[in-house]
Amino acid sequence: MPTIAHVGYGYWGRNIARNLAELGLLGAIVDPDPKAAAEGAERLAVPARGFAEVLADPGIDGVSLASPASLHFEQAKAALEAGKHVFVEKPLALDLDQAEALVRTAEERGLCLMVGHLLQYHPAYEKLRALVREGALGRLLYVYSNRLSLGKFRREENVLWSFAPHDISMILGLVGEEPSHVSAQGRVAYTPGVADVVTAEMKFPGGACGHVLVSWMHPFKEQRLVVVGERAMAVFEDSEPDWNAKLKLYPHRIETGEGAPVPVKAEAEAVPVEQGEPLRAECRHFAECIRTGHTPRTDGREGLAVLRVLDKAERSLREDLARQATDRG
């Protein structure tokens, strides 16, 4: 199995490092904070090393990056140019041109570039995607996703960039194409210029539409993905603690005749889902792709597609916030 150096031992990075260590993949911890690096090294029984040092080490096959988003491009580029396979937390980069450059570099050098769109590796989402692909829901009509909680408030990025990449990734994975139109609206409540709640809409060439609502000023936690097809509907509720209730299929159907469409309701069916930690599956997938040369499910091109949607949504959001400022005088 490959040896991976992990960069960024912070709030989320320590979870990635733990999983890599438990899989027997972790070779080093890198963090600009010596105290954090030392803590991770001691806890996981690997050396704390410098970034340039691990890039120069032929014994390190890949790096996983959980650094601030502003550093993703710089660090991923350096790692790829050093011949290392790269797993980078979302977003792939903050700029489309930079993301395209990373994808190009990885492909030219035959290296694995994988983006941390975690929920693509959730057993319930994997089952849902299989149901969609086998036609159990019929032609998709619309998909909506809510990712809501109270805090953690950010000051360096808005809630669109912090929360929505996961939802956009899941929706694109289900619909199977990129949207032809993206719009977004939001509300700044606390930090000037940083939207705390955002609604984004997507319209797809095949006729489906998508809707994402993200907020970190919601009274309770909700992580719900609803998929409506012509034959059936499904709900993936990640905030549901009972694994047997995380994914439900609603075999409702709509009868159409001479009058108005009439819904024919059916009882919800719990879909059996094997319990497993999505992050563990994601880390294992990265290692397998390094070993086999297979393309990751959430490769650089998938990350680039998500970034294109985010970029369009951000532009639309900025226009909406500017209109709000003008209306307030």
Side-chain angles (χ1 to χ4, degrees):
M1 294 296 285
T3 299
I4 299 167
H6 177 70
V7 181
Y9 197 71
Y11 171 75
W12 181 246
R14 63 186 57 223
N15 294 316
I16 298 174
R18 171 182 58 82
N19 274 277
L20 290 173
E22 291 173 356
L23 288 168
L25 302 168
L26 188 65
I29 289 288
V30 179
D31 195 284
D33 180 354
K35 184 178 180 181
E39 177 192 342
E42 180 179 0
R43 182 181 297 272
L44 302 174
V46 295
R49 303 178 67 183
F51 186 57
E53 183 185 359
V54 299
L55 295 190
D57 185 350
I60 298 293
D61 302 294
V63 297
S64 60
L65 302 173
S67 311
S70 59
L71 298 178
H72 286 183
F73 170 71
E74 173 189 327
Q75 292 184 336
K77 180 174 181 288
L80 290 169
E81 290 178 344
K84 308 301 183 186
H85 301 279
V86 174
F87 168 82
V88 56
E89 262 306 322
K90 57 84 182 169
L92 175 58
L94 295 178
D95 177 90
L96 275 173
D97 290 338
Q98 292 179 341
E100 289 171 352
L102 292 178
V103 171
R104 190 164 53 248
T105 301
E107 291 179 349
E108 288 173 350
R109 294 171 180 261
L111 295 167
C112 171
L113 174 60
M114 179 171 156
V115 185
H117 291 150
L118 177 67
L119 291 174
Q120 287 265 3
Y121 302 90
H122 194 295
Y125 176 79
E126 291 179 323
K127 183 65 175 180
L128 172 59
R129 187 181 59 177
L131 290 172
V132 169
R133 292 187 175 183
E134 69 189 30
L137 276 65
R139 184 173 68 90
L140 296 189
L141 301 176
Y142 80 87
V143 185
Y144 83 75
S145 185
N146 289 351
R147 187 163 304 276
L148 314 168
S149 65
L150 184 60
K152 170 184 176 183
F153 287 78
R154 276 76 163 178
R155 300 182 64 181
E156 67 282 353
E157 62 182 9
N158 63 36
V159 72
L160 173 72
W161 286 84
S162 185
F163 282 12
H166 292 303
D167 306 282
I168 294 169
S169 175
M170 287 193 293
I171 291 174
L172 296 188
L174 294 173
V175 178
E177 59 183 356
E178 292 187 43
S180 52
H181 175 76
V182 179
S183 62
Q185 296 178 314
R187 175 75 166 84
V188 175
Y190 297 102
T191 303
V194 178
D196 300 290
V197 57
V198 173
T199 301
E201 289 187 286
M202 294 167 275
K203 296 180 181 178
F204 294 88
C209 62
H211 177 277
V212 173
L213 173 61
V214 287
S215 173
W216 50 42
M217 57 177 193
H218 196 73
F220 55 88
K221 186 174 184 178
E222 180 181 333
Q223 296 174 349
R224 179 182 296 163
L225 177 69
V226 176
V227 186
V228 176
E230 286 186 322
R231 294 179 55 189
M233 307 172 187
V235 178
F236 165 33
E237 192 142 11
D238 194 24
S239 48
E240 168 60 58
D242 182 359
W243 273 82
N244 294 321
K246 282 185 179 292
L247 180 61
K248 292 180 180 178
L249 186 67
Y250 291 79
H252 304 319
R253 68 180 195 278
I254 310 298
E255 291 188 348
T256 57
E258 296 181 358
V262 178
V264 180
K265 298 182 180 180
E267 291 295 321
E269 302 170 1
V271 180
V273 175
E274 185 176 347
Q275 187 169 348
E277 185 178 357
L279 184 54
R280 177 66 56 89
E282 187 176 46
C283 291
R284 185 182 293 113
H285 184 68
F286 179 49
E288 281 298 309
C289 289
I290 293 175
R291 187 179 66 83
T292 63
H294 291 164
T295 300
R297 181 185 309 163
T298 53
D299 67 343
R301 291 199 171 274
E302 192 271 345
L304 188 56
V306 171
L307 199 59
R308 281 193 286 264
V309 176
L310 283 168
D311 182 71
K312 292 175 182 177
E314 176 70 23
R315 293 172 187 270
S316 178
L317 174 63
R318 289 298 155 198
E319 292 175 359
D320 176 62
L321 295 178
R323 283 194 296 269
Q324 292 182 40
T326 300
D327 291 343
R328 288 194 297 268

